[in-house]
Amino acid sequence: MSAPLTRIRLAAAALAAAGVLFALYPGLRPWRDETTLQGAQEAMSSPWWVATHLFAMIGFILVPLALLAVRRVVDGTRAEPLALTAAVTAWIGVGLTLPFYGAEDFALHVLAAESTGGAQLDLLGLAEGVRYLPAAVTTFGIGLILLAVGAVLAAVAIARSGVLPRMSGVLFAVGFATFLPQFFTPAAVRVGHGVLVAAGCLWLAYALWRTPARS
């Protein structure tokens, strides 16, 4: 197997893994009423809180690698500049998104564990402060918007390339375009969104895996 083909298939496998991780993130996340002290303590102090948010962070890291593989596959077509723009935009978006996830995951877990252990902490107030610090929530929002833009640009590049199946980037784009709004929906919708993102990643991963063989 040639080196370029090997890299493309590794990227496809990474994207498939990202899809599974994005499904597990809301699927296994401990859902409680985090507006109450008991609910926040139970959710945030759970080991699954740490694990599932880490699943999402790993998924975010893997996605731009797959978009670089898309650029390689469409190299030499009129879609190549757009595919490169998509990969770079998504990479910047992920970089801006991850710090918020780190604070949400590790900082809130430590605070909840301390609160559960008897420390006199205003857990709800501290959690709100971590989540809604202006710089943090702004970079988080911009990051997810850029990631959405990158995913949409990738879907357009795929459709224009004539190399990958025209529709293989559509679910991928829809999943990441709705990543920010889904945070304002109930748990069941968020779990469903995780399945949507997984389906989009797996579909595109399959297309990436198969395209060199067809060529």
Side-chain angles (χ1 to χ4, degrees):
M1 187 181 296
S2 67
L5 179 56
T6 299
R7 287 193 289 269
I8 290 168
R9 289 194 168 178
L10 284 173
L15 184 58
V20 173
L21 291 171
F22 280 123
L24 293 177
Y25 161 45
L28 298 179
R29 181 190 189 276
W31 293 104
R32 303 290 189 275
D33 182 1
E34 294 170 22
T35 63
T36 68
L37 178 59
Q38 181 178 351
Q41 288 175 330
E42 290 178 356
M44 297 173 188
S45 65
S46 169
W48 283 107
W49 178 272
V50 177
T52 53
H53 284 78
L54 191 58
F55 291 163
M57 287 189 275
I58 296 171
F60 283 127
I61 292 169
L62 295 176
V63 165
L65 298 177
L67 294 185
L68 285 176
V70 170
R71 190 217 64 83
R72 177 178 287 276
V73 169
V74 304
D75 190 26
T77 72
R78 65 192 182 104
E80 189 274 337
L82 190 59
L84 178 59
T85 302
V88 172
T89 303
W91 217 315
I92 295 171
V94 167
L96 291 173
T97 299
L98 287 178
F100 187 94
Y101 261 87
E104 175 88 358
D105 190 1
F106 307 125
L108 294 188
H109 176 70
V110 170
L111 291 172
E114 290 293 320
S115 173
T116 304
Q120 297 301 309
L121 297 175
D122 178 13
L123 177 60
L124 298 181
L126 288 171
E128 184 172 350
V130 169
R131 284 172 164 166
Y132 297 106
L133 180 71
V137 75
T138 299
T139 55
F140 177 65
I142 293 172
L144 286 178
I145 290 170
L146 289 176
L147 183 56
V149 170
V152 171
L153 291 177
V156 174
I158 289 167
R160 289 180 179 177
S161 70
V163 179
L164 290 161
R166 286 182 58 86
M167 301 297 289
S168 58
V170 172
L171 278 184
F172 177 81
V174 171
F176 284 101
T178 54
F179 215 105
L180 183 58
Q182 60 91 29
F183 283 110
F184 303 97
T185 63
V189 176
R190 294 186 62 182
V191 171
H193 179 264
V195 174
L196 171 65
V197 173
C201 290
L202 290 170
W203 187 4
L204 181 53
Y206 179 76
L208 285 170
W209 188 279
R210 294 289 298 166
T211 295
R214 286 202 304 269
S215 299

